[in-house]
Amino acid sequence: MFKRFTCVITVLVLIFCLSLSNFAGVVAVADDETYLEITSKSNVLTSGTYKLTSDVTLNNPLQVNSGVEVTIDLCGYSLKCSGNQVILVNGGTLNLMDSSESGTGTVKNTSTSTSASKSGIKISNGGTLNMSGGTVSGTYGIYSVSNNCSINITGGSVIATGQVGIYYIPTGSDEGSITISGTDTVVITTLGDDAKDYGIYCTNKITLTISNPNTYVSASLASKAVYAPSSSRVTITAGHYSSAINSSYIPEGYSYTETEEGFVVTSDISPEFYGKALTLDGEIGVTYYFTMDGVMNISDYKLYATIDGETAETVTAETKTLSDGVTYYRYTVYVKPTQISSGIVAYLSDGSNKVDAGTYSVYEYCEYAINASGVEWEEVEDLCEAVLNYGYYAQVWYNNSESTLQSSIRSLDSAWTDPTSSFNLSSLSGYATTSDGIKKTLALDGGVYIRIYVTDTSATYSVDGETLEVEADGNGSYVEFKVYAKEMYKTFTVLKGDEVYTSYSIYTYIYNVCNSEISGDITESLQNLCKAIYDYGEEAKAYNNWI
């Protein structure tokens, strides 16, 4: 995808009294910044940023001379010329981009001549082209026969209407370079159909490096996508090619394969599994850590997990740099409280490569934490015991059956006592509320959700800036939102539009349930589950090392 930024320009007409050969156009003001404008009479450009405000057909090619750095933002418009080239980078630096949403900006040589001199951009005398967007086209897309020039592309398209997409042959003994990097899409192609029509053509004096995985280089069936005679100066570690390329261009650690769409270069380097830990973000789950050094297309990798044979909810977390100085990619699998002792089977894959993360459970981590020695584990131990006890009462309530988790906790910590036996209702007396006529409850089977019933289903409801989706069950329409364990003590305000609709807290629900007589929906197992949730919430609130 090309880099795109919105281009909004207000034009202030200010005529410069310059000779036609040096006419730089008018000054345009956009977003409180001043830009230079290119007109049909523009020729030699001065340093600065130029933005197109309309399509421009030039009388003469633009020039970027030595000591000058120019940025041209095409803004979705076309820059055309029928001369030898549209832009001559004559020793200076040209930064070419297209900030438009459409990405349709072009630098186009409209000449119908097949001469090599008819190019979109020509580079000479040590000039530098940095291209991040737009399309450059001509008989030759980008053309250079000069020394010490640099062509750097991170996005955009280069199209030869008759000969070579990128052509670079220095005339002297000096060298030059072509570098295609980044991850945005880069297309280099020729529309010619004979053996002389190449995607990229350079001599053994050029250092050619292609590391962008979204590079597409093509040529006619009679020709080669890449012609570069010296393998010692060519390094290709990524990209897609319409024809076979020299295998000596591809360094160790990378593969070159033929597909139905051509030839593809990919990295042999796969993610490495580092380890796993309890998810300490206020939900119950396991976080898996992987190193990605040298991995191409990191975003293609997804974590796949099953619990009790069913697909589990998986989230790609942010990267995390640990104390060893290594940055890891984290993938989290959340579990229901009833699945605390269930094994999570997980692996990371991009569709072809697979990195096994084994089988693990929340219980296994808690077991390790409770048995671990050291002051740093004391808070984790208390939190893990609260998690396991929560799981025990969730299994008893939800599955309507006995669980072995409490006996497991006692075997891990002989001093442990069930906190529900010492639950003090008065500690929650501040959460007792009178009814405002709006039905409120909790959904407890997949975690802890506050559920608020609504009558106006066409209204917009939100909490903490998050819009809530209106759903329905046998009791009517409702909105709900998950509450993290470390925030269970908080009272959340639900808005209906911009007005307060109602407020509620997990602890209010717990108080109401535990203050009620056992009857109907209020069972002993539900009261015990609420007491365990309260203990889990208090331990979560006390735990300071959230990661």
Side-chain angles (χ1 to χ4, degrees), residues 447-460:
V448 182
Y449 291 78
I450 288 179
R451 178 173 293 183
I452 310 291
Y453 284 85
V454 299
T455 55
D456 183 359
T457 58
S458 63
T460 300

Side-chain angles (χ1 to χ4, degrees), residues 211-519:
S211 61
N212 185 327
N214 298 310
T215 299
Y216 297 83
V217 185
S218 61
S220 68
L221 294 177
S223 187
K224 295 181 179 181
V226 176
Y227 177 85
S230 176
S231 60
S232 64
R233 291 186 179 272
V234 180
T235 302
I236 298 178
T237 57
H240 307 251
Y241 305 87
S242 64
S243 63
I245 57 177
N246 192 329
S247 60
S248 64
Y249 299 164
I250 304 164
E252 184 178 353
Y254 296 85
S255 295
Y256 174 52
T257 56
E258 184 174 7
T259 69
E260 293 181 355
E261 298 178 350
F263 296 82
V264 181
V265 179
T266 57
S267 171
D268 290 337
I269 304 172
S270 296
E272 293 186 11
F273 177 56
Y274 172 72
K276 53 216 169 206
L278 184 69
T279 299
L280 298 174
D281 63 359
E283 288 194 76
I284 299 175
V286 171
T287 295
Y288 297 83
Y289 292 77
F290 294 86
T291 57
M292 297 286 193
D293 290 344
V295 174
M296 303 295 291
N297 297 332
I298 293 174
S299 62
D300 289 346
Y301 279 91
K302 312 293 181 186
L303 189 77
Y304 299 88
T306 57
I307 304 174
D308 298 330
E310 297 182 357
T311 302
E313 178 190 1
T314 303
V315 176
T316 302
E318 296 179 356
T319 55
K320 177 76 173 180
T321 302
L322 300 185
S323 57
D324 58 5
V326 177
T327 298
Y328 296 91
Y329 283 75
R330 303 188 298 162
Y331 301 80
T332 298
V333 178
Y334 293 120
V335 306
K336 297 177 180 178
T338 53
Q339 298 173 321
I340 283 173
S341 50
S342 298
I344 304 170
V345 181
Y347 66 91
L348 193 71
S349 177
D350 65 349
S352 56
N353 297 315
K354 180 179 178 181
V355 183
D356 191 9
T359 302
Y360 200 58
S361 68
V362 171
Y363 175 81
E364 288 179 77
Y365 178 89
C366 292
E367 179 183 38
Y368 175 83
I370 293 170
N371 283 328
S373 59
V375 176
E376 69 275 12
W377 286 99
E378 290 179 359
E379 277 190 341
V380 183
E381 177 181 344
D382 293 340
L383 180 61
C384 284
E385 289 177 347
V387 167
L388 295 182
N389 196 47
Y390 171 32
Y392 166 78
Y393 281 110
Q395 290 174 2
V396 171
W397 172 74
Y398 185 72
N399 298 329
N400 196 26
S401 62
E402 284 302 312
S403 169
T404 61
L405 277 176
Q406 272 202 356
S407 59
S408 297
I409 303 172
R410 290 191 176 93
S411 68
L412 296 172
D413 182 2
S414 58
W416 180 82
T417 57
D418 182 0
T420 63
S421 61
S422 57
F423 175 77
N424 184 359
L425 184 62
S426 63
S427 62
L428 290 175
S429 59
Y431 290 90
T433 60
T434 57
S435 174
D436 56 8
I438 298 172
K439 185 178 179 181
K440 292 165 275 195
T441 186
L442 299 188
L444 298 171
D445 54 334
V448 182
Y449 291 78
I450 288 179
R451 178 173 293 183
I452 310 291
Y453 284 85
V454 299
T455 55
D456 183 359
T457 58
S458 63
T460 300
Y461 299 89
S462 63
V463 63
D464 288 346
E466 176 188 357
T467 300
L468 305 177
E469 183 178 350
V470 178
E471 302 180 63
D473 62 9
N475 296 312
S477 298
Y478 66 87
V479 293
E480 70 178 20
F481 54 94
K482 179 175 282 190
V483 179
Y484 290 119
K486 59 183 178 180
E487 296 179 330
M488 287 182 185
Y489 69 94
K490 292 176 61 176
T491 297
F492 292 89
T493 298
V494 177
L495 299 180
K496 178 182 178 182
D498 295 329
E499 303 294 329
V500 173
Y501 182 64
T502 191
S503 297
Y504 205 53
S505 167
I506 301 295
Y507 282 4
T508 297
Y509 177 89
I510 293 173
Y511 178 87
N512 292 338
V513 168
C514 294
N515 193 42
S516 301
E517 295 289 336
I518 295 176
S519 176

